[in-house]
Amino acid sequence: FNQTKGKTMTEEKKEKLKALTKVKLLAEKAGIHHVYLSRILKGKEQASAERAELLANLANELTLQEGYFVASDFRPDDL
């Protein structure tokens, strides 16, 4: 597993994501396992640049937010 030392998504964003959609649904739409997504959200895994962009777009779509989630939320080393 890739260990990351950067910051993860803010707690505020994480709670908003969990409140407005199911992590399992986001993982399903992104074509990844929900455990892998959970590890990304906790900063224990880092998504590829392409997958991070996809996750941000899907998170915004599923939560009806526009531009709230960004790729760097899923790639803590990019911060």
Side-chain angles (χ1 to χ4, degrees):
F1 295 114
N2 292 333
Q3 295 293 323
T4 59
K5 294 182 178 163
K7 293 174 64 178
T8 60
M9 180 185 297
T10 65
E11 286 301 315
E12 177 185 340
K13 282 187 173 184
K14 208 179 296 184
E15 291 306 314
K16 188 167 198 163
L17 180 63
K18 289 178 182 178
L20 295 175
T21 191
K22 299 285 184 197
V23 172
K24 282 186 176 183
L25 178 60
L26 176 56
E28 182 181 307
K29 291 219 174 246
I32 61 175
H33 195 277
H34 67 91
V35 173
Y36 177 61
L37 177 56
S38 179
R39 291 182 59 80
I40 291 170
L41 294 175
K42 292 176 183 175
K44 295 181 179 183
E45 293 280 348
Q46 180 170 308
S48 67
E50 297 80 17
R51 181 160 285 147
E53 190 67 36
L54 174 64
L55 286 167
N57 290 337
L58 288 170
N60 286 322
E61 180 183 314
L62 291 170
T63 60
L64 303 177
Q65 304 295 306
E66 190 172 322
Y68 184 76
F69 296 100
V70 294
S72 62
D73 290 331
F74 301 94
R75 286 185 57 83
D77 282 349
D78 282 354
L79 298 177

